Amino acid sequence: MKKNIAIIMGGYSSEYQISLKSGNVVYQTLDTSKYDAYRIHIFKDKWVYVDGSDAEFPMDKNDFSVTVNNSKITFDCVFNAIHGSPGEDGFMQAYFKLINLPHTSCDMYQAALTFNKRDCLSTLKPYGIKTAESFFVNLGDAIDEDAIVAKVGLPCFVKANKAGSSFGVTKVHNKEDLQNAINVAFKEDDEIIIESFLDGTEVSVGVITYKGETKVLPITEIVSENDFFDYEAKYLGKSQEITPARLTKEEETKVNKIAKKVYEVLKMKGFSRSEYIFKNGEPHLLEVNTVPGLTLASILPQQAAAAGIPLAELFENAIEASLNPS
């Protein structure tokens, strides 16, 4: 019997277009001899199944089913391809837990924790995970620019705390530009994080559960044409992504060990991609993504290919792990 797989894509964040691309790659790649795949668009104003001719059918949120031509379709598993809210921050994970439907991403708490940069970094610090100096601001707080600069220095990064990694991010070189950067970040979230600039090699490390084991994939080095790895660099080709990264054996061993530790300390499942910058030879964690991009140009699929794992196998492994948890 073939399994019915709902591929959820879209979402409520500014990254919804990338999510649609990721979801469609999964849809086009899954082995049709094993799975019947269904594209499910999740937006604030509608949850719909989109068929091969782009006709839309509303989802029944009571049990995440859909009725097509008087026939009710239910699903064996959900493949989560939503970047940002509600697929990466715990909301969909909680919903699927409540209706007892397996899904390919991590659990609700892990999703919510990793999506909140401040809380994730704070949780990991006691385990010896190095991070940049940071300063937190909530919407409505008085902005003390001198205190911010004294804590994190210049240049620094101003980021939305809970909005993925591509939007609401500004690199600030002068104190006079801080307020504008803060305003940009507040358009994405009501909490922001301001971090010191780490000048060093930036790498991205994919860690997945593969055949029941935690597997660290080959590391990708990121060389941005822009001032940093922003939306253009990430999604519009304005960066070089070099896999495997040009690291010394010692650097590679260090970051592999830390990435695996982060995955296991947080009790992650499924896909993850964590970002690090080397400072004085030590990897400093920037953030953890739990629904990384899955387009053909995305980093995690590149890393899987370098590890000898074809896309179809990568996706099938995630589905089978959720259907048969160890």
Side-chain angles (χ1 to χ4, degrees):
M1 282 282 289
K2 287 203 281 187
K3 303 282 191 199
N4 283 350
I5 309 299
I7 305 164
I8 58 171
M9 58 187 91
Y12 305 165
S13 81
S14 306
E15 290 184 89
Y16 76 92
Q17 288 174 313
I18 305 302
S19 169
L20 292 175
K21 287 182 180 177
S22 289
N24 277 307
V25 168
V26 177
Y27 177 71
Q28 290 154 11
T29 305
L30 282 182
D31 184 342
T32 53
S33 70
K34 296 177 181 176
Y35 307 113
D36 283 324
Y38 295 80
R39 294 177 299 167
I40 312 295
H41 288 190
I42 304 287
F43 292 112
K44 281 183 179 173
D45 60 344
K46 61 182 179 182
W47 289 21
V48 291
Y49 157 56
V50 181
D51 73 6
S53 57
D54 290 337
E56 296 184 353
F57 301 84
M59 298 295 296
D60 183 343
K61 293 182 184 177
N62 290 299
D63 59 359
F64 204 68
S65 66
V66 63
T67 299
V68 181
N69 300 328
N70 296 319
S71 176
K72 179 174 175 171
I73 301 166
T74 58
F75 300 99
D76 298 291
C77 174
V78 174
F79 194 109
N80 183 5
I82 296 178
H83 314 311
S85 189
E88 202 166 5
D89 55 4
F91 285 100
M92 296 306 294
Q93 289 85 347
Y95 166 70
F96 292 130
K97 178 79 172 173
L98 287 171
I99 63 170
N100 200 27
L101 184 54
H103 59 86
T104 57
S105 47
C106 61
D107 291 336
M108 173 199 73
Y109 175 73
Q110 281 71 16
L113 177 64
T114 51
F115 198 68
N116 187 313
K117 298 179 183 75
R118 173 180 65 192
D119 293 357
C120 183
L121 296 175
S122 300
T123 299
L124 289 167
K125 265 184 182 170
Y127 292 91
I129 308 297
K130 293 180 170 60
T131 63
E133 282 290 342
S134 52
F135 192 104
F136 305 110
V137 183
N138 292 329
L139 187 63
D141 286 357
I143 306 298
D144 186 338
E145 293 170 358
D146 291 325
I148 292 169
V149 172
K151 178 87 183 290
V152 302
L154 289 169
C156 64
F157 283 102
V158 180
K159 306 176 180 180
N161 187 44
K162 310 184 299 293
S165 57
S166 305
F167 291 91
V169 183
T170 308
K171 187 176 181 182
V172 175
H173 295 270
N174 305 300
K175 188 172 81 169
E176 302 77 55
D177 299 327
L178 258 177
Q179 186 61 60
N180 185 55
I182 288 168
N183 294 341
V184 167
F186 276 139
K187 285 179 185 168
E188 296 290 334
D189 189 22
D190 60 358
E191 298 172 0
I192 64 173
I193 179 170
I194 304 170
E195 291 182 325
S196 60
F197 170 61
L198 299 173
D199 191 9
T201 302
E202 181 169 355
V203 296
S204 185
V205 189
V207 185
I208 62 175
T209 301
Y210 184 68
K211 297 182 177 175
E213 302 289 330
T214 302
K215 182 175 180 64
V216 182
L217 297 172
I219 301 162
T220 299
E221 179 183 348
I222 295 162
V223 184
S224 177
E225 291 174 24
N226 293 353
D227 203 12
F228 63 98
F229 194 48
D230 59 4
Y231 182 87
E232 278 192 339
K234 185 176 287 187
Y235 296 125
L236 304 180
K238 299 275 187 164
S239 68
Q240 262 187 296
E241 293 159 6
I242 303 162
T243 311
R246 299 168 297 183
L247 300 176
T248 66
K249 195 68 195 163
E250 184 187 7
E251 287 172 333
E252 184 184 330
T253 301
K254 273 184 185 175
V255 77
N256 275 349
K257 187 177 176 185
I258 289 168
K260 186 171 190 277
K261 184 176 183 179
V262 165
Y263 191 91
E264 292 180 339
V265 161
L266 295 176
K267 298 183 179 173
M268 295 291 297
K269 291 178 187 170
F271 302 140
S272 78
R273 210 189 67 228
S274 47
E275 320 293 332
Y276 301 85
I277 289 180
F278 280 89
K279 181 184 177 186
N280 302 325
E282 296 295 329
H284 286 57
L285 175 66
L286 300 178
E287 63 181 28
V288 180
N289 302 288
T290 60
V291 187
L294 298 171
T295 69
L296 298 177
S298 296
I299 291 172
L300 193 86
Q302 288 179 35
Q303 295 176 340
I309 304 170
L311 265 188
E313 187 185 330
L314 183 72
F315 298 156
E316 181 177 330
N317 175 77
I319 290 168
E320 293 306 322
S322 66
L323 287 171
N324 305 291
S326 52

